[in-house]
Amino acid sequence: MSEPAVKFVATSLASLHVEPSFLTELLTQITNGVELVILEQREKWCRVRQRDGYEGWAYKPYLVEAPPLEATHVTHLSVMVFARPETGTIVGRYPIGTSLRVEETQDGWSRARACAGELLPQGWVNSLFLRDLKQFPLALNDARQEIVNVVRGLTGTQYLWGGCTDWGIDCSGLAQLAYRLAGYAIPRDARLQFPAARAVEPPFRPGDLLFFAAEGDAKKITHVGISSGGWKMIHSSRNRNGVYEEDVQANEQLRARFAGAGTFLSES
């Protein structure tokens, strides 16, 4: 039996949809170089599966067959790409969480390129906004702090169903991104994260995930936030249209819907 065909994201950001149309529901977003298994092709669209099993329809012109270059760094913030260090013309932009290949460094700047495709130009980015992949995964305490730093740094980012970056993000996308930037891969949706996480009890520690059920259905997990310590939680809230920190115990609706907590960080 032949191996399934694969393609790779060649743009800075691509979206997965329920059906082969930009007008249908956005399921999630994927950054440059991500591998996608091709399940079906229909005109300009491909039904694809990510490594974590997540499926959807991707726009075929945004994908390439050539394997990506090996990534060396990941963007810790959304970064602008300049033609020259400091004073150059802006030639591109990468959202937070994008894997890049750094070709050289110079006085606090890195000449970087996208790992897949030729659609995005090479250029210079501020090295402070990059993290060396060789550092991952972070040690436990460092990971906890990094997760909180990431989500707190995204305060005010607008809520976007299916969003995964600082260009717009939903609750489970925020949790997945924060863990990824500490070097840990977790499932995409809250309903998948909840059963996969290792259960934890109060007092919650920074980086623990707090899960919430649908109103009137305690078995249906619909929301997740990241503890910044105890019941204080940073989450992407549809009600507040963005990423904010609040006390679960001070919010009657959240308190009533709390379903449990978990983590993907190992104590060993």
Side-chain angles (χ1 to χ4, degrees):
M1 185 173 180
S2 60
E3 291 292 324
V6 297
K7 290 182 183 288
F8 304 89
V9 177
T11 56
S12 57
L13 195 64
S15 54
L16 292 190
H17 293 266
V18 171
E19 298 292 342
S21 168
F22 286 114
L23 301 180
T24 62
E25 179 185 343
L26 173 66
L27 291 172
T28 191
Q29 297 170 316
I30 39 182
T31 52
N32 182 267
V34 170
E35 179 182 288
L36 301 171
V37 175
I38 307 302
L39 304 175
E40 179 183 350
Q41 299 193 48
R42 190 183 302 176
E43 297 180 349
K44 290 187 176 182
W45 290 82
C46 297
R47 188 166 67 88
V48 301
R49 179 189 298 127
Q50 294 182 236
R51 285 188 176 182
D52 63 3
Y54 215 75
E55 295 183 10
W57 287 88
Y59 190 53
K60 192 191 307 186
Y62 293 167
L63 311 178
V64 293
E65 294 181 356
L69 300 170
E70 182 179 1
T72 62
H73 292 72
V74 63
T75 56
H76 187 253
L77 296 170
S78 184
V79 297
M80 291 182 291
V81 186
F82 296 90
R84 300 185 307 278
E86 297 190 64
T87 59
T89 302
I90 296 175
V91 297
R93 190 183 301 265
Y94 295 114
I96 186 172
T98 302
S99 296
L100 300 173
R101 181 177 180 85
V102 171
E103 304 285 1
E104 66 173 300
T105 58
Q106 180 184 118
D107 299 326
W109 289 80
S110 297
R111 184 169 63 84
R113 62 184 300 173
C115 294
E118 303 295 333
L119 297 176
L120 303 173
Q122 295 187 45
W124 294 85
V125 300
N126 191 318
S127 299
L128 290 175
F129 299 155
L130 302 179
R131 292 292 184 272
D132 191 331
L133 290 175
K134 291 185 293 187
Q135 299 174 351
F136 292 158
L138 299 180
L140 177 61
N141 290 335
D142 292 337
R144 290 188 180 279
Q145 189 60 56
E146 183 70 357
I147 289 168
V148 173
N149 288 345
V150 168
V151 294
R152 186 167 281 150
L154 291 172
T155 297
T157 299
Q158 72 163 343
Y159 181 90
L160 174 64
W161 176 267
C164 296
T165 74
D166 48 349
W167 299 356
I169 201 163
D170 65 18
C171 65
S172 56
L174 181 67
Q176 185 186 50
L177 174 65
Y179 266 78
R180 182 184 171 203
L181 291 178
Y184 295 82
I186 72 173
R188 173 60 178 91
D189 286 347
R191 63 180 177 83
L192 302 175
Q193 294 168 359
F194 182 60
R198 176 173 58 84
V200 295
E201 300 293 335
F204 304 124
R205 301 177 63 183
D208 288 345
L209 300 179
L210 309 185
F211 295 95
F212 302 85
E215 189 172 352
D217 188 350
K219 294 183 179 180
K220 183 179 180 180
I221 302 301
T222 60
H223 189 64
V224 61
I226 300 92
S227 173
S228 54
W231 289 102
K232 290 288 183 68
M233 176 182 77
I234 304 169
H235 63 144
S236 185
S237 166
R238 189 195 297 273
N239 290 339
R240 300 190 64 178
N241 194 30
V243 178
Y244 293 98
E245 184 170 11
E246 57 186 308
D247 188 336
V248 173
Q249 293 299 313
N251 184 311
E252 182 177 352
Q253 184 183 52
L254 288 175
R255 191 171 65 246
R257 293 170 51 204
F258 179 70
T263 185
F264 290 87
L265 303 176
S266 173
E267 296 292 341
S268 58

